[in-house]
């Protein structure tokens, strides 16, 4: 139920993800020339998507010369590689990513392990028994299925999306099933996942955390060691990029988030009107039509308002409710809702790691911002400043990148505050949070500080959820956005 709006069109976007998934598996020899691919129906069950989505991906694979597909005949791989071409492909892929690998695995440990912990907490004994019986094969797919299954317990597509983006970047999930033991040990995977399941069945959460870290450390060190020995780094490294938006909306939504930052914390915060479309298009290096679509999205969020004959008025304090009938508003508010959970799960470790590494000048700058918020009555921005601090100063590069995206998605929610009926409660909570966080940072009580950030995020999350539900956005819609959801073979889709 979309409250009368058009259904969210995510099929095309997920078909692109499935297309990328199979292309990588062809190039890494998971599926070789002449191999018959699984049926459309089995792939639909595996990814928990419709036939239309899989067929769209397969049509593109056929057009690009990867597969032979005809009605009534099995789909075969026709993509061919010589041995030299295969090694050159692997060399090319990893040579441009070697610099990011150690940092990205550290990022994954900091952000995804808390998510896996929460997913495992939500598994039932029946789930665990099923996973235990599934362990016997312990090949590359089984590790992939296992962690996808656990993360799906969170019912948060944004977190699943992050897991997939990291998996796609590293490429390790796409190798041939008969991969060299030097990089992938079946025994190590079977033992590690078995220990994870045992800790979860015993509800040994401290042991589970240690076991998850040990499993990732062992598999990571093996992969990094293999790549370091066999791959020569290239000059032009490809950084990890978390793609949240796919296709046409990507530029428009990304620019919308940039402008929201400028309106609330940047150069437009004291400006009554934005520059003309033409001037802004030149400044942000986009077309005028893209600029118009971007402003239209912001106007539907009530962040700006078009005034006939004058221009685009900045209205950060507007009390009007966002246009919930618009698919773009509902889609981005779903991401805003989902990012709350990612912050709750990861912010304690991310904030603590950041605060411990702040230089005296960086710490002083953050305290000045918090004190200015108290003086100006703009304490609503204090949590934003903490997220920005992590995005700018966390010692782990991948974490900085992910938190810059988290901060951006969090901006979608600010227009909700001004139309909220309980603004007095919000203002008081913001002020108390700002005072508490400033005191802890000033006294170097960084662990306590990170706990305060998490507690505040949880309080705001519940308020935001109630607000969105009260305005006709259904709970299942809040958890609706593009993501691959792999199902364990034999498990029925939902």
């Amino acid at each position: 139920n979309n409250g009368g709006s058009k259904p969210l069109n995510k099929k095309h976007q997920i078909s692109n993800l499935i297309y990328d998934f199979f292309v990588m598996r062809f190039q890494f020899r998971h599926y070789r020339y002449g191999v018959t691919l699984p049926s459309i129906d089995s792939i639909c069950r595996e990814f928990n998507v419709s036939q239309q989505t899989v067929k769209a991906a397969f049509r593109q694979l056929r057009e690009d010369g990867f597969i032979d597909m005809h009605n009534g005949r099995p789909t075969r791989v026709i993509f061919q590689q010589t041995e030299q071409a295969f090694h050159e492909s692997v060399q090319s892929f990893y040579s441009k990513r070697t610099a990011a690998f150690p940092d990205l695995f550290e990022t994954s440990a900091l952000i995804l392990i808390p998510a896996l912990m929460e997913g495992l907490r939500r598994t039932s004994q029946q789930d665990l028994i099923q996973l235990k019986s599934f362990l016997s094969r312990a090949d590359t797919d089984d590790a992939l299925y296992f962690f996808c299954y656990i993360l799906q317990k969170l019912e948060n597509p944004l977190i699943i999306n992050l897991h997939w983006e990291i998996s796609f970047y590293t490429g390790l999930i796409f190798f041939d099933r008969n991969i060299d033991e030097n990089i992938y040990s079946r025994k190590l995977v079977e033992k590690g996942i078995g220990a994870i399941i045992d800790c979860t069945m015993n509800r040994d959460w401290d042991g589970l955390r240690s076991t998850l870290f040990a499993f990732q450390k062992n598999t990571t060190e093996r992969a990094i060691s293999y790549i370091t020995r066999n791959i020569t780094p290239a000059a032009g490294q490809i950084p990890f990029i978390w793609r949240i938006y796919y296709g046409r909306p990507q530029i428009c939504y990304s620019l919308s988030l940039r402008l929201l930052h400028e309106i609330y914390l940047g150069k437009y915060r004291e400006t009554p009107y934005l520059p003309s479309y033409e001037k802004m298009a030149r400044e942000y290096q986009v077309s005028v039509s893209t600029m118009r679509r971007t402003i239209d999205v912001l106007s539907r969020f009530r962040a700006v308002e078009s005034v006939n004959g004058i221009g685009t008025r900045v209205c950060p304090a507007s009390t009007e409710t966002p246009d919930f009938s618009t698919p773009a508003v509902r889609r981005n508010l779903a991401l805003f809702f989902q990012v709350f959970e990612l912050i709750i799960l990861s912010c304690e470790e991310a904030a603590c790691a950041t605060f411990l590494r702040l230089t005296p000048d960086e710490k002083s700058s953050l305290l000045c911002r918090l004190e200015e918020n108290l003086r100006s009555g703009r304490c609503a921005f204090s949590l934003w400043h903490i997220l920005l601090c992590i995005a700018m100063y966390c010692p782990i590069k991948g974490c900085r990148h992910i938190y810059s995206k988290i901060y951006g998605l969090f901006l979608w929610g600010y227009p909700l505050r001004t139309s909220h009926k309980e603004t007095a409660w919000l203002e008081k909570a913001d002020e108390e949070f700002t005072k508490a966080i400033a005191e802890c940072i000033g006294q170097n009580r960084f662990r306590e500080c990170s706990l305060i950030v998490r507690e505040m995020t949880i309080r705001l999350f519940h308020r935001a959820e109630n607000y969105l539900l009260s305005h006709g956005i259904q709970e299942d819609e809040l958890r609706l956005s593009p993501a691959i959801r792999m199902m364990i073979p034999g498990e029925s889709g939902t």
Side-chain angles (χ1 to χ4, degrees):
N1 183 355
N2 281 339
S5 66
K6 294 180 181 179
L8 301 186
N9 181 14
K10 60 190 180 68
K11 290 188 177 69
H12 177 65
Q13 298 175 22
I14 294 184
S15 72
N16 290 340
L17 294 176
I18 294 174
Y19 171 88
D20 290 343
F21 177 85
F22 278 97
V23 168
M24 293 283 285
R25 291 212 150 181
F26 299 149
Q27 293 177 337
F28 280 51
R29 289 188 168 179
H30 189 97
Y31 294 123
R32 303 191 183 209
Y33 175 78
V35 167
T36 298
L37 292 181
S39 68
I40 296 288
D41 286 343
S42 65
I43 293 172
C44 289
R45 289 192 297 271
E46 181 177 339
F47 288 97
N48 198 24
V49 295
S50 69
Q51 282 196 357
Q52 180 182 350
T53 301
V54 176
K55 287 179 179 178
F58 272 38
R59 282 194 297 270
Q60 190 62 50
L61 289 170
R62 180 180 59 190
E63 290 175 14
D64 292 345
F66 288 104
I67 62 174
D68 176 61
M69 180 178 67
H70 295 281
N71 290 335
R73 295 199 334 226
T75 300
R76 292 188 311 106
V77 178
I78 59 174
F79 174 72
Q80 297 187 65
Q81 280 180 312
T82 64
E83 193 70 21
Q84 181 180 351
F86 166 68
H87 288 293
E88 287 176 353
S89 177
V90 172
Q91 171 73 31
S92 175
F93 182 88
Y94 283 109
S95 66
K96 298 173 184 177
R97 291 165 171 78
T98 53
F101 261 59
D103 178 273
L104 188 57
F105 282 122
E106 194 173 354
T107 299
S108 181
L110 189 145
I111 293 180
L112 287 182
I113 281 184
L116 288 167
M117 286 279 296
E118 181 60 27
L120 286 161
R121 288 177 186 272
R122 299 185 189 185
T123 55
S124 66
Q125 291 294 321
Q126 184 177 355
D127 292 329
L128 295 167
I129 292 170
Q130 180 184 8
L131 289 169
K132 195 86 170 178
S133 65
F134 178 65
L135 252 185
S136 57
R137 295 192 303 275
D139 61 19
T140 51
D141 273 3
D142 290 332
L144 174 63
Y145 282 119
F146 176 77
F147 289 113
C148 284
Y149 182 88
I150 297 305
L151 288 176
Q152 285 167 34
K153 290 295 180 180
L154 301 176
E155 297 182 329
N156 188 310
L158 186 66
I159 294 175
I160 297 172
N161 169 276
L162 176 58
H163 166 72
W164 271 101
E165 288 294 331
I166 292 175
S167 298
F168 268 85
Y169 182 86
T170 63
L172 297 177
I173 63 171
F174 300 107
F175 266 105
D176 183 349
R177 285 187 174 90
N178 298 314
I179 194 169
D180 192 323
E181 282 281 320
N182 289 322
I183 188 172
Y184 186 89
S185 168
R186 293 168 185 257
K187 291 181 180 178
L188 181 65
V189 170
E190 184 176 357
K191 180 180 178 182
I193 295 179
I196 290 168
I197 293 174
D198 288 341
C199 286
T200 307
M201 294 184 80
N202 295 327
R203 295 317 196 219
D204 177 9
W205 306 125
D206 290 337
L208 175 61
R209 183 181 181 83
S210 299
T211 302
L212 281 168
F213 273 108
F215 178 80
Q216 194 206 44
K217 182 175 183 291
N218 292 337
T219 53
T220 297
E221 288 179 346
R222 182 180 289 266
I224 291 176
S225 175
Y226 177 89
I227 291 167
T228 302
R229 292 195 315 271
N230 294 278
I231 303 296
T232 303
Q237 292 289 299
I238 298 174
F240 168 71
I241 296 176
W242 182 16
R243 300 171 298 173
I244 295 169
Y245 297 109
Y246 294 86
R248 183 178 174 183
Q250 181 177 0
I251 296 175
C252 178
Y253 291 159
S254 297
L255 182 55
S256 295
L257 295 176
R258 184 174 176 182
L259 286 175
L260 283 173
H261 169 76
E262 299 289 7
I263 288 169
Y264 297 126
L265 294 182
K267 60 186 175 183
Y268 300 135
R269 66 184 184 278
E270 305 295 342
T271 304
Y273 286 89
L274 294 177
S276 68
Y277 291 136
E278 292 76 10
K279 184 175 181 180
M280 295 180 75
R282 288 194 299 272
E283 179 178 353
Y284 295 107
Q285 298 182 330
V286 297
S287 66
V288 173
S289 61
T290 296
M291 200 71 245
R292 288 182 182 276
R293 288 197 302 271
T294 300
I295 295 300
D296 180 64
V297 170
L298 294 180
S299 68
R300 294 178 186 279
F301 270 93
R302 312 308 185 202
V304 299
E305 178 185 31
S306 295
V307 181
N308 289 335
I310 299 178
T312 304
R313 186 171 70 88
V314 175
C315 45
S318 171
T319 58
E320 290 189 53
T321 302
D323 182 4
F324 289 111
S325 67
T326 306
V329 170
R330 300 172 82 92
R331 182 183 301 116
N332 286 301
L333 286 178
L335 289 170
F336 163 70
F337 173 83
Q338 292 165 33
V339 83
F340 257 114
E341 293 184 313
L342 186 54
I343 296 171
I344 290 168
L345 290 168
S346 66
C347 70
E348 189 175 339
E349 294 300 326
C352 193
T354 302
F355 296 145
L356 285 169
R357 293 289 296 272
L358 289 178
T359 66
D361 286 346
E362 291 163 353
K363 175 182 169 182
S364 177
S365 176
L366 177 57
L367 284 172
C368 285
R369 289 192 183 96
L370 296 174
E371 289 164 3
E372 174 58 27
N373 289 344
L374 284 168
R375 286 193 299 270
S376 63
R378 294 164 64 90
C379 293
F381 298 128
S382 294
L383 182 55
W384 290 21
H385 282 128
I386 298 299
L387 297 178
L388 268 176
C389 181
I390 298 172
M392 294 173 64
Y393 302 123
C394 182
I396 306 170
K397 183 178 180 181
C399 185
R400 293 198 301 272
H401 172 72
I402 290 170
Y403 260 80
S404 70
K405 299 287 188 176
I406 286 174
Y407 167 75
L409 294 179
F410 203 65
L411 295 176
W412 288 122
Y414 186 77
L416 303 181
R417 298 179 62 98
T418 53
S419 63
H420 202 287
K421 294 180 180 179
E422 299 182 3
T423 53
W425 178 90
L426 287 169
E427 290 172 1
K428 183 179 179 181
D430 291 333
E431 183 178 357
E432 290 175 349
F433 169 76
T434 305
K435 289 178 179 178
I437 208 80
E439 180 182 339
C440 287
I441 292 174
Q443 297 177 5
N444 295 329
R445 295 173 5 229
F446 296 135
R447 177 57 66 180
E448 183 180 347
C449 184
S450 61
L451 288 171
I452 292 171
V453 173
R454 184 174 185 272
E455 289 168 3
M456 181 62 175
T457 308
I458 291 172
R459 294 174 72 188
L460 292 176
F461 170 69
H462 292 307
R463 295 278 174 169
E465 181 178 23
N466 291 335
Y467 177 92
L468 293 171
L469 292 175
S470 70
H471 282 79
I473 300 183
Q474 302 300 313
E475 187 169 358
D476 60 347
E477 189 179 353
L478 290 174
R479 301 185 179 279
L480 183 65
S481 57
I484 291 179
R485 307 174 70 91
M486 294 191 78
M487 311 297 285
I488 288 179
E491 179 186 15
S492 59
T494 56

